[in-house]
Amino acid sequence: MTSSDPHAATMTGEEHAAPAVEIGSVLASRYEVLSVLGAGAMGTVLRVHDRELDETLALKVLHTHAHGDVARDARALDRFRQEVKLARRVTHKNVARTFELGESGGLRFITMELVEGESLARLIERRKALPPNEAVPLLAGICDGLAAAHAASVIHRDIKPENVLIETTGRVVVTDFGIAKQHDPGDASRTQQIVGTPFYMAPEQVEGIAATPRSDLYALGVVAYEMLVGEPPWSGGTVAQVAFRRLFEPPPDPRLKKRELSDALASAVMKCMARQPADRFDSALAVRDALVHSIRASVAPQPAP
């Protein structure tokens, strides 16, 4: 369901240890472990067979703190519960379904929909830059998933290619609400931690200011840039340096790398990555409309002379 992420370090300063779960073992007398699908900062995702319902699911096991810190483990469990609560709010074909929170032998886990396919990160790794007529439909699916999440007052806070799956049928699925939060329009406070993936987080997240739906739109713009150009808009230096560069540098124009991109498409991507949230799109659906329009405009028939 998820893949390992070379940019995965969330800026939280905590270390976690993956639990030892053997292939063929059975969790909660029900879920037979078939294989490991991937691992992130907070959990390991397994492919399991639900013996009771005779279905194949994804199961995410919570990592414990590397040094046995009970307090930190308690905080991690609280975030795990929050992930289930928020993810279950969002019901949409472009968002992976979350089923339940369970426990087995001291291990906490979440059962989720298994999406058969590959991550957007793997697709970019294989294909590098995608042509606009392929990239935009995928981005439109992400927009639809984000629109559903935002309508349910859920901010994802970690949109990146590793958290987008492309099913073999072509369906685009947003996954991993591990650091999602409920949106509070009146919350402009600073957070205690910088939370997110540095390569994709919005400037306000880098500054430790509470994220908003427009923070997700910033990350969407970074993902769009990477899909169209074949590399992230910012790279080089340490993880922290990459994150902080966006505080002082304007969003790069993707046409500098791909001259064939239309003005409308490049403008939409750059508007998503605007430094100030107020300068970005109003909503994920507005991003979707702009992206789709950019493709239609590029193939529109020219008037006869």
Side-chain angles (χ1 to χ4, degrees):
M1 173 148 180
T2 59
S3 62
S4 56
D5 176 5
H7 308 142
T10 53
M11 298 178 71
T12 62
E14 295 188 7
E15 299 178 12
H16 294 85
V21 180
E22 296 183 357
I23 304 300
S25 61
V26 179
L27 301 178
S29 302
R30 176 174 178 176
Y31 302 108
E32 180 184 357
V33 180
L34 303 178
S35 62
V36 177
L37 295 175
M42 295 299 298
T44 296
V45 182
L46 310 169
R47 179 195 298 267
V48 300
H49 177 247
D50 183 347
R51 292 179 170 180
E52 187 168 323
L53 298 180
D54 192 24
E55 291 182 345
T56 304
L57 305 173
L59 185 147
K60 181 177 179 180
V61 180
L62 174 67
H63 292 177
T64 57
H65 190 262
H67 305 294
D69 189 319
V70 175
R72 289 187 176 182
D73 284 345
R75 289 197 297 269
L77 180 56
D78 285 342
R79 287 197 295 269
F80 215 49
R81 291 195 184 100
Q82 183 78 348
E83 176 178 357
V84 177
K85 290 172 63 176
L86 294 181
R88 290 183 64 172
R89 282 190 189 179
V90 188
T91 304
H92 193 274
K93 68 176 183 178
N94 295 116
V95 176
R97 290 172 295 164
T98 298
F99 300 126
E100 67 170 351
L101 174 66
E103 188 270 338
S104 177
L107 297 179
R108 291 284 186 164
F109 63 83
I110 300 171
T111 54
M112 302 173 289
E113 171 188 10
L114 177 67
V115 180
E116 297 286 6
E118 69 175 341
S119 69
L120 178 57
R122 291 283 177 85
L123 178 63
I124 295 173
E125 184 181 357
R126 286 195 299 107
R127 299 280 305 279
K128 305 304 180 186
L130 301 178
N133 64 335
E134 289 185 40
V136 167
L138 298 178
L139 289 166
I142 303 173
C143 289
D144 288 343
L146 279 178
H150 295 165
S153 297
V154 175
I155 308 171
H156 190 283
R157 297 203 297 178
D158 201 20
I159 292 296
K160 57 186 177 182
E162 289 75 16
N163 287 342
V164 176
L165 303 180
I166 305 169
E167 199 172 38
T168 51
T169 61
R171 178 172 67 114
V172 177
V173 184
V174 176
T175 70
D176 200 342
F177 285 74
I179 60 172
K181 64 166 287 189
Q182 180 175 344
H183 177 44
D184 178 0
D187 183 10
S189 63
R190 291 187 176 272
T191 61
Q192 294 181 343
Q193 295 177 328
I194 300 177
V195 180
T197 302
F199 277 78
Y200 302 94
M201 65 171 60
E204 58 270 22
Q205 289 176 274
V206 176
E207 293 179 303
I209 298 173
T212 70
R214 294 191 187 197
S215 305
D216 283 346
L217 302 188
Y218 184 97
L220 176 65
V222 179
V223 171
Y225 183 103
E226 188 171 355
M227 292 173 68
L228 294 166
V229 173
E231 61 185 49
W234 286 278
S235 59
T238 66
V239 171
Q241 287 172 336
V242 170
F244 282 100
R245 280 177 62 189
R246 68 201 62 195
L247 298 180
F248 310 104
E249 298 179 12
D253 189 335
R255 288 167 294 187
L256 297 177
K257 297 281 187 177
K258 291 288 181 180
R259 297 178 60 184
E260 65 272 23
L261 295 178
S262 70
D263 293 345
L265 181 54
S267 295
V269 173
M270 294 172 68
K271 185 171 182 177
C272 286
M273 294 192 295
R275 169 70 180 86
Q276 298 297 330
D279 295 331
R280 299 171 203 156
F281 287 93
D282 292 335
S283 67
L285 292 182
V287 178
R288 185 191 199 283
D289 290 345
L291 292 172
V292 172
H293 176 74
S294 73
I295 293 298
R296 289 175 179 168
S298 67
V299 298
Q302 299 298 314

